[in-house]
Amino acid sequence: MNELRMTLERRSENKKEEIFISRNFKKKSYEYKVNYKFYDGLNSDEIDNLEKLFDFKFPKLYRQMLSSFRNFYRETISIDLKGNEEIIKICRLYDYPSDLKEVRWLVNQIYQYIGEIKSVIKENGFDDSEIEGFIPIYSHRVLVVFKNKALSPVISIYDNDIIIYGNDLKDYLINEFGTKR
């Protein structure tokens, strides 16, 4: 996780923004990812307290991430193809415990579509009977917590449209925030 943080920080310092066409089907735009700002990680007691709050032990990679950085912000500048509009968005991970109320909608959606989630988990080679819980990570992305703490797949859940977005937390962060391996 320290390696991932260093990669993101290097990209912010170099300001070598990548341009890509947004997935927003209503309007195509160019997006520039700039200025990563990291928030200090948590100590082991703080992580243990979060585990008590969630009522299960966290996956190994999530604990490592929380100890390296608990959150980060990334500014994104979007410009439509005609160059008429510029919007600065700030993307971030959910920050616990302060974001517990903010993620209730996602927790409700998880349990509304638990059958579909288990089916996707099983189809991707994971044992759905070993699931201990879920941790909302960012937007509609959720870390699936298993009894085996070496596992940490992340799913994307948008109503009943559910996919594996990363086979583990590191893959997810790379997929979501566009860093290169």
Side-chain angles (χ1 to χ4, degrees):
M1 284 300 147
N2 284 331
E3 174 187 318
L4 179 63
R5 178 179 175 162
M6 289 178 359
T7 300
L8 291 172
E9 286 173 332
R10 234 184 347 268
R11 288 189 60 198
S12 180
E13 289 168 5
N14 294 337
K15 304 249 182 204
K16 291 183 180 176
E17 299 91 16
E18 292 182 14
I19 302 172
F20 66 95
I21 295 181
S22 172
R23 293 182 191 174
N24 183 344
F25 297 113
K26 294 179 186 171
K27 178 172 70 173
K28 292 183 180 177
S29 65
Y30 290 100
E31 292 187 353
Y32 300 84
K33 298 177 188 131
V34 297
N35 300 328
Y36 285 88
K37 180 180 178 183
F38 288 85
Y39 289 80
D40 291 335
L42 304 173
N43 65 41
S44 59
D45 289 339
E46 291 169 321
I47 296 171
D48 291 344
N49 287 336
L50 279 180
E51 287 179 334
K52 289 176 187 169
L53 186 65
F54 277 85
D55 202 28
F56 50 77
K57 296 282 187 192
F58 293 156
K60 181 180 175 185
L61 283 174
Y62 190 59
R63 283 188 68 91
Q64 288 173 349
M65 185 196 83
L66 289 174
S67 67
S68 177
F69 59 92
R70 74 175 192 275
N71 201 351
F72 68 85
Y73 286 76
R74 178 192 71 197
E75 295 176 353
T76 302
I77 302 169
S78 296
I79 303 169
D80 72 13
L81 294 179
K82 295 178 184 176
N84 295 331
E85 188 175 348
E86 184 175 312
I87 304 167
I88 297 177
K89 304 177 211 173
I90 296 182
C91 303
R92 67 177 184 83
L93 303 175
Y94 292 124
D95 196 5
Y96 297 110
S98 59
D99 284 339
L100 282 174
K101 288 181 182 176
E102 185 178 334
V103 300
R104 281 187 185 155
W105 68 272
L106 185 52
V107 172
N108 291 338
Q109 204 168 57
I110 290 166
Y111 290 103
Q112 181 179 355
Y113 296 106
I114 193 67
E116 289 90 339
I117 290 171
K118 286 184 174 189
S119 177
V120 168
I121 293 294
K122 196 176 213 173
E123 288 171 9
N124 283 275
F126 297 98
D127 184 351
D128 65 319
S129 68
E130 296 290 310
I131 296 173
E132 285 191 328
F134 302 91
I135 303 171
I137 299 291
Y138 167 75
S139 184
H140 52 273
R141 312 290 195 247
V142 178
L143 179 67
V144 182
V145 180
F146 288 89
K147 292 176 185 172
N148 178 352
K149 299 308 176 209
L151 301 176
S152 61
V154 175
I155 60 171
S156 173
I157 174 171
Y158 192 78
D159 293 328
N160 66 346
D161 181 15
I162 301 156
I163 62 168
I164 298 283
Y165 205 80
N167 287 321
D168 63 29
L169 183 60
K170 186 173 181 179
D171 279 345
Y172 158 71
L173 291 169
I174 289 168
N175 287 337
E176 186 74 68
F177 297 105
T179 61
K180 304 284 186 243
R181 286 183 195 253

